[in-house]
Amino acid sequence: MRFLLPVFLASFAVPAIAAEAWVTNEKDDTVSVIDIETQEVIKTYDTGERPRGITFSRDYSRLYICASDSDTVQVMDPETGKILHDLPSGEDPEQFALHPDDRLLYIANEDDAITTVVDTVERKVVAQIQVGIEPEGMAVSHNGKIAVTTSETTNMAHWIDTESQEIFANTLVDSRPRHAEFTADDKRLWVTSEIGGTITVFTVEDQEEIAKIDFEIKGVRPERVQPVGMRFSPDGKLAIVALGPSNHIAVIDAETFEVKKYILVGRRVWHLAFSPDGSKLFTTNGVSGDVTVVDMDSLQAVKTIKVGRYPWGVAIRP
Amino acid sequence: METLMSFQKLRIFLTALSATVGASTGIAHAVDVSVLYLERQVQRPPTLSVLDAVPDDLGRAGAELALFENTATARFLGHTYTLDTVVVGVEDDFSDAITKALADGHRLIVANAPADDLLTLADHPNAKDALILNGTAPDDRLRRDACRANLLHTIPSRSMLADAVTQFLVKKRWADWLLISGEGPGDEEYAAALRAAAAKFNAKIVEEKIWRFDADMRRNAAQEVPVFTQGKDYDAVLVADEIGDWARYVLYNTWLPRPVAGSEGITPVAWSPVIEQWGAAQLQKRFADATGRGMQSDDYGVWAGLRAIGEAVTRTKSADPATLRAYMLSQDFELAAFKGRKATFRAWNGQMRQPIPLVHSRAVVAQAPIEGYLHRVSELDTLGQDEAETDCTAF
């Protein structure tokens, strides 16, 4: 009995399903799986070439990965790390967003100036929508009615009616828009502009620009402040934006658009994701090849976790 | 021909789509933009090596790509672009050609032409209300005493290139130079820019030599260059050889084990096929897919000229040259130039501010401005003539 006891205890110490952060490593062709409790990499799985965008199905039973240079979206079983199948995705898929119906995937095809809509069940392309050059940011509203693609060289947010799969509006933003995000109530859309160095906020109802958010970090050259990925906190009160090669993230009041704090993270921060309870934030730092853990109560970076080369996207599995 | 075909296909594809997309967007305000791509062909002197043929569509391919990109944006706004191409042969009369082009109504011009021809164009009576983008001529005088109000520059000046490589070498503490310059076109100007840069950033030219060998260096470099580079001690060999004639034979043949920089070795450029960061991989791919070759500095300069017009049209919703010029020179203008920072224009001489990559044939070594070179307005203005030192009075 004596030698069995430690095993017995250990199984209690680790919750049955620990939350995980899944990180795509762009230049290693892998995903790293981080245990959110222990904040350690527990697994690394191979993917297709140049994995970037990453998201889970609603029930977290499937993981979708944009394997950009393999020109495919891969579907992985997160339990085993096995690639179940590939989805037709159009060329060079960079980012995508899953429709709330858990079925349609909206994919930005960076090299093709196209947004591809894929039915993940039938595994076929249901629509291709011509957008601007270098589409990248992709978002679907929570009510499922609108999809938005941002195109980096055309400098626009393209608003797509998900019923007709047609563009119904185009709004100009500053240079090189990288990411779009709807607020939880679908009333507003935020778009980050990497080279412009700004975030543009639109009202969804009429696609009117209502705010432009600028950033200024003491001791950092303004050209290095390049907004890329962003997320709203689970309570909707804060927006957190990754500021690329400035190596900082900005904490923004989602109502007043005031920047409350800049937090130093790793080098060239790309994307971020919250732990299920919203207490921790995970940022992918491309150049330093690691993930920074930010404590959201104290708004401090608390840990750095080494992952693969050029970590890019991150998705959370509760 | 292959190039044009593939760009044309893209364009037809876009035009077909524009009708449906434009109609459904509801933000269309028709603006029709007509741009002239003007190329003056030059007699290129022979070079020792026959390895690097100059592509026939050098520069023009940049215009074709920019047209494609501008059109992609334009169709969402109800704008259209037309690109007319005029190529003036070596023997042809340049004045006649531009008189005709201006009489045809062209007032937005992206030029691939030497400095003297650019001045002829800018000073033409019918070009007073035109806007000319210089995509290829690096001559500093066009940004200084010979500047023209209707002439903006997207290609970096020689002094920007020289400042860029100098910042790097001084930062590396390779500050004592042997400077070798050739007698080809532009070599003396390039050497002068390097001398000025050395004075500006505190590098020292310990010795200067003129390359006068006329033997075939593919056979003799190993014998000649070591002796030629013997003398005082230096940290680096700077070479001024703009047409790529002889400097390639200096690398690894120097008397002392020293890096080579300038026209060979660590080379400051507007653009190079080895640039892949900051989204450049996408631009390179679009260009290579359409042309079957890598994108060079002259392609980039012309591309940036037409893209700058495109950005200004998109934001001002106007094709009026005066409106576009005013916008380009304003603080509101920004072009995502695939070099990690927005490109803007210097209001005092019309030069596009931009980072300068320092490359060798396989990779980017560094990108200027080099960290640590500070400036009260923009660190990009540590490259080339700054506002305080300009003798351009046309702006």
Side-chain angles (χ1 to χ4, degrees), chain A residues 49-283:
Chain A
E49 287 173 46
R50 203 174 177 206
R52 291 193 279 181
I54 180 167
T55 195
F56 283 97
S57 62
R58 300 290 155 200
D59 64 358
Y60 299 94
S61 67
R62 281 158 294 148
L63 176 70
Y64 299 105
I65 302 161
C66 283
S68 299
D69 286 358
S70 300
D71 296 330
T72 190
V73 167
Q74 296 185 308
V75 184
M76 184 184 272
D77 177 354
E79 290 302 324
T80 62
K82 280 218 172 76
I83 302 290
L84 300 172
H85 54 265
D86 289 351
L87 291 172
S89 68
E91 263 189 70
D92 196 22
E94 176 155 0
Q95 272 210 72
F96 48 23
L98 187 61
H99 191 277
D101 68 6
D102 202 23
R103 184 162 179 162
L104 293 185
L105 204 51
Y106 282 75
I107 305 167
N109 297 118
E110 188 164 29
D111 274 352
D112 258 6
I114 279 172
T115 296
T116 299
V117 189
V118 173
D119 183 326
T120 58
V121 177
E122 300 277 335
R123 297 183 204 171
K124 64 179 191 198
V125 173
V126 295
Q128 284 204 311
I129 304 144
Q130 192 75 21
V131 293
I133 294 188
E134 290 173 39
E136 158 129 359
M138 198 66 249
V140 179
S141 62
H142 301 85
N143 62 19
K145 288 182 179 160
I146 303 171
V148 166
T149 304
T150 66
S151 48
E152 291 176 333
T153 289
T154 299
N155 301 327
M156 280 181 179
H158 307 283
W159 303 65
I160 298 163
D161 179 339
T162 55
E163 195 74 38
S164 64
Q165 309 293 12
E166 277 176 18
I167 292 176
F168 67 91
N170 299 287
T171 47
L172 279 168
V173 293
D174 287 337
S175 288
R176 241 181 132 65
R178 292 298 295 235
H179 193 87
E181 198 87 1
F182 285 92
T183 52
D185 58 9
D186 286 333
K187 291 215 163 88
R188 286 170 181 171
L189 178 81
W190 291 43
V191 178
T192 65
S193 290
E194 183 180 29
I195 292 292
T198 57
I199 290 178
T200 309
V201 183
F202 295 97
T203 45
V204 170
E205 193 181 11
D206 50 9
Q207 305 94 45
E208 284 296 315
E209 177 181 325
I210 54 162
K212 192 155 274 188
I213 304 168
D214 287 301
F215 303 93
E216 203 182 323
I217 309 174
K218 214 176 162 196
V220 177
R221 296 189 285 182
E223 307 91 29
R224 296 191 78 80
V225 180
Q226 302 186 347
V228 279
M230 66 159 288
R231 299 265 185 169
F232 292 104
S233 61
D235 63 9
K237 289 183 177 152
L238 300 174
I240 317 287
V241 57
L243 297 174
S246 72
N247 310 333
H248 283 75
I249 56 172
V251 182
I252 307 164
D253 185 309
E255 271 309 309
T256 65
F257 310 129
E258 183 200 347
V259 179
K260 295 162 71 99
K261 192 172 180 190
Y262 295 102
I263 303 168
L264 182 67
V265 292
R267 293 177 64 203
R268 199 157 191 203
V269 52
W270 277 121
H271 285 281
L272 18 86
F274 283 95
S275 62
D277 63 0
S279 69
K280 299 250 178 335
L281 179 75
F282 296 81
T283 76

Side-chain angles (χ1 to χ4, degrees), chain B residues 214-254:
Chain B
D214 42 19
D216 187 343
M217 280 305 135
R218 280 175 297 177
R219 287 176 190 90
N220 288 332
Q223 287 91 36
E224 303 293 343
V225 175
V227 183
F228 185 70
T229 53
Q230 226 173 340
K232 293 179 182 160
D233 191 9
Y234 45 83
D235 301 319
V237 182
L238 276 287
V239 287
D241 172 27
E242 286 204 339
I243 59 164
D245 184 19
W246 48 269
R248 68 180 69 205
Y249 305 110
V250 175
L251 275 85
Y252 309 111
N253 277 316
T254 50

Side-chain angles (χ1 to χ4, degrees), chain A residues 27 50 52 91-92 94 110-114 130-134 151-156 158 166-176 178 194-197 221 223-224 226 245 268 287 310, chain B residues 13-14 17 21 24-27 68-70 72-73 75-77 276-279 281-283 285-286 307 311 314-315 317 334-336 338 340-343 369-373 377-380:
Chain A
K27 299 216 169 169
R50 203 174 177 206
R52 291 193 279 181
E91 263 189 70
D92 196 22
E94 176 155 0
E110 188 164 29
D111 274 352
D112 258 6
I114 279 172
Q130 192 75 21
V131 293
I133 294 188
E134 290 173 39
S151 48
E152 291 176 333
T153 289
T154 299
N155 301 327
M156 280 181 179
H158 307 283
E166 277 176 18
I167 292 176
F168 67 91
N170 299 287
T171 47
L172 279 168
V173 293
D174 287 337
S175 288
R176 241 181 132 65
R178 292 298 295 235
E194 183 180 29
I195 292 292
R221 296 189 285 182
E223 307 91 29
R224 296 191 78 80
Q226 302 186 347
R268 199 157 191 203
V287 172
Y310 277 74
Chain B
F13 179 52
L14 288 176
L17 276 151
V21 178
S24 62
T25 53
I27 52 165
F68 164 68
E69 295 183 6
N70 285 355
T73 303
R75 72 202 155 88
F76 295 112
L77 300 165
E276 57 182 336
Q277 265 230 56
W278 313 110
Q282 271 83 254
L283 180 70
K285 184 168 191 301
R286 280 200 292 280
R307 282 291 293 123
E311 269 307 300
T314 299
R315 304 289 167 174
K317 301 181 171 51
E334 60 187 39
L335 178 66
F338 297 94
R341 302 185 191 194
K342 62 182 94 168
I370 301 293
E371 186 108 43
Y373 290 92
V377 181
S378 161
E379 273 129 37
L380 292 172

Side-chain angles (χ1 to χ4, degrees), chain B residues 128-335:
Chain B
K128 272 202 175 63
D129 55 351
L131 177 62
I132 306 156
L133 277 294
N134 163 25
T136 58
D139 304 66
D140 278 287
R141 64 190 168 107
L142 296 176
R143 286 86 168 163
R144 304 195 62 166
D145 53 329
C147 71
R148 298 292 191 268
N150 56 358
L151 182 60
L152 308 189
H153 315 274
T154 46
I155 197 79
S157 65
R158 283 195 184 90
S159 63
M160 289 167 74
L161 301 175
D163 286 351
V165 73
T166 305
Q167 286 187 356
F168 174 78
L169 294 172
V170 170
K171 180 93 184 268
K172 297 287 278 183
R173 297 176 182 265
W174 300 336
D176 287 352
W177 299 350
L178 165 63
L179 172 61
I180 309 174
S181 40
E183 295 176 313
D187 291 353
E188 180 42 41
E189 287 90 340
Y190 196 94
L194 287 171
R195 280 182 215 111
K200 181 173 172 181
F201 295 108
N202 214 12
K204 193 170 144 200
I205 296 168
V206 295
E207 195 164 6
E208 274 205 46
K209 293 190 176 182
I210 306 283
W211 184 272
R212 283 210 180 86
F213 293 96
D214 42 19
D216 187 343
M217 280 305 135
R218 280 175 297 177
R219 287 176 190 90
N220 288 332
Q223 287 91 36
E224 303 293 343
V225 175
V227 183
F228 185 70
T229 53
Q230 226 173 340
K232 293 179 182 160
D233 191 9
Y234 45 83
D235 301 319
V237 182
L238 276 287
V239 287
D241 172 27
E242 286 204 339
I243 59 164
D245 184 19
W246 48 269
R248 68 180 69 205
Y249 305 110
V250 175
L251 275 85
Y252 309 111
N253 277 316
T254 50
W255 181 254
L256 299 169
R258 300 289 185 264
V260 175
S263 302
E264 290 290 340
I266 307 155
T267 309
V269 291
W271 196 252
S272 154
V274 300
I275 300 166
E276 57 182 336
Q277 265 230 56
W278 313 110
Q282 271 83 254
L283 180 70
Q284 304 278 27
K285 184 168 191 301
R286 280 200 292 280
F287 188 89
D289 285 351
T291 62
R293 64 177 179 88
M295 190 175 187
Q296 304 183 16
S297 287
D298 283 359
D299 299 314
Y300 180 84
V302 170
W303 170 84
L306 187 49
R307 282 291 293 123
I309 291 175
E311 269 307 300
V313 169
T314 299
R315 304 289 167 174
T316 61
K317 301 181 171 51
S318 166
D320 168 48
T323 306
L324 298 180
R325 180 184 179 276
Y327 183 79
M328 285 185 200
L329 294 175
S330 77
Q331 302 231 331
D332 295 330
F333 178 86
E334 60 187 39
L335 178 66

